[in-house]
Amino acid sequence: MQGTVDGFRYGAVTPVAAYLMACLGGALGLRCIVRSLLDGQSWKPGWLALGAASIGCGIWTMHFIAMIGFQVEETRIRYDTGLTVLSLAVAIFVVGIGVFMVGYLGAGPGPLTGAGVITGLGVAAMHYLGMAALRLDGDIAYDAFTVGLSILIAIVAATAALWAAVTIRGFLTSLGASLVMGVAVSGMHYTGMAAVSVHLHSTTGASWAGDSPSSLLLPMLLGPTIFLLLAGVVVMFDPLLVLGDGEWNRSGADRRRRDDPSQAEVQQPRQDSGFEAFGDTPEPRRKPYARKW
């Protein structure tokens, strides 16, 4: 018997919330990568790792918020805890490979293509590993063409996001790139979900091993969400990302002149005659007239 699959149990609430989390993770990740490129003296591996973790957590959180709205009407759904945690680790690790590749090798055609393919496959692996964590009284089948389309969307989205990370420097343009990235990640997820069909074993709805969405997903979503908020605090309080490249360089030069007076311009002392205050230039003094007696 075929089960009735519904991916929008709570209407637009879960898709919108999932999209916002994908945008948040993408925006923080892109800004962290930009931060590692703007200042060569910063701890580059740390910023790249923070960017990879932000993007990975955003994608994973997006997936499982969307899965809260997924149901099969004839049976209950539970989740395997180990596979769910493993999908989060896979997302962060594989995204990290792509981020470090473009962070150190640049956005050339070769590194960008390789990083985009690896990251896209990692995002797809996270998605289908999360789907493998489902426990229900039935078998899940996938349409091969739709699965392939979802993987292609993931690769294109990952490549575009990595290109934007090393090419786009402005705050507003990075924000726009993160919104596009959120659309791509959400599109990949719901394309993959469109490939799902469920063949039920029975219609009794009996209980089986695993955790329910309310007992597993909500507590697990709390950790990555808090991490994203803390990463947002780090990004917002970093002066280089707030001021921008030009203002940071200007303020950095001011600090260097303050700390090292030898770098300051040497100003020649000038005598103030009092006329400058009125905008007049004093005439040169004439030699006193020597009277002849």
Side-chain angles (χ1 to χ4, degrees), residues 96-115:
I97 295 176
V99 167
F100 274 80
M101 284 181 66
V102 297
Y104 281 97
L105 301 179
L112 183 61
T113 302

Side-chain angles (χ1 to χ4, degrees), residues 1-95:
M1 176 182 175
Q2 288 295 115
T4 305
V5 177
D6 181 13
F8 303 95
R9 181 179 183 181
Y10 301 104
V13 175
T14 49
V16 171
Y19 170 73
L20 293 177
M21 293 306 298
C23 291
L24 176 61
L28 293 176
L30 293 179
R31 296 308 291 169
C32 289
I33 299 171
V34 168
R35 177 63 172 81
S36 71
L37 300 174
L38 288 179
D39 187 7
Q41 297 179 350
S42 64
W43 188 41
K44 192 170 187 175
W47 283 106
L48 293 177
L50 182 60
S54 298
I55 296 175
C57 285
I59 295 172
W60 185 88
T61 306
M62 176 270 151
H63 171 81
F64 281 101
I65 287 179
M67 290 304 295
I68 292 177
F70 176 78
Q71 68 171 352
V72 180
E73 294 184 359
E74 293 82 5
T75 182
R76 291 185 298 166
I77 296 177
R78 295 179 181 271
Y79 290 85
D80 179 86
T81 306
L83 287 177
T84 304
V85 175
L86 180 61
S87 66
L88 174 60
V90 167
I92 296 175
F93 177 75
V94 180
V95 169

Side-chain angles (χ1 to χ4, degrees), residues 77-268:
I77 296 177
R78 295 179 181 271
Y79 290 85
D80 179 86
T81 306
L83 287 177
T84 304
V85 175
L86 180 61
S87 66
L88 174 60
V90 167
I92 296 175
F93 177 75
V94 180
V95 169
I97 295 176
V99 167
F100 274 80
M101 284 181 66
V102 297
Y104 281 97
L105 301 179
L112 183 61
T113 302
V117 171
I118 292 173
T119 305
L121 292 176
V123 172
M126 181 279 302
H127 174 86
Y128 290 104
L129 190 59
M131 292 298 296
L134 269 68
R135 296 292 180 265
L136 47 80
D137 190 19
D139 296 322
I140 299 177
Y142 296 93
D143 177 72
F145 174 79
T146 311
V147 169
L149 181 60
S150 69
I151 295 175
L152 179 62
I153 293 174
I155 293 174
V156 173
T159 304
L162 293 174
W163 173 86
V166 296
T167 305
I168 297 175
R169 301 296 176 89
F171 178 79
L172 293 180
T173 50
S174 292
L175 180 61
S178 66
L179 296 178
V180 175
M181 182 179 176
V183 172
V185 172
S186 299
M188 177 269 163
H189 172 84
Y190 285 105
T191 301
M193 296 307 297
V196 173
S197 62
V198 177
H199 180 75
L200 298 175
H201 295 161
S202 65
T203 58
T204 58
S207 177
W208 53 91
D211 295 311
S212 64
S214 59
S215 63
L216 174 66
L217 293 185
L218 292 179
M220 289 192 67
L221 287 170
L222 186 61
T225 302
I226 293 176
F227 171 81
L228 290 175
L229 294 177
L230 293 177
V233 172
V234 172
V235 170
M236 291 303 298
F237 281 90
D238 183 79
L240 178 53
L241 293 179
V242 173
L243 293 176
D245 192 12
E247 291 296 328
W248 170 263
N249 291 335
R250 191 176 302 117
S251 62
D254 294 339
R255 286 195 303 272
R256 287 191 295 272
R257 283 196 296 268
R258 248 191 341 261
D259 298 337
D260 187 2
S262 64
Q263 296 185 7
E265 295 181 2
V266 179
Q267 297 183 356
Q268 298 295 333

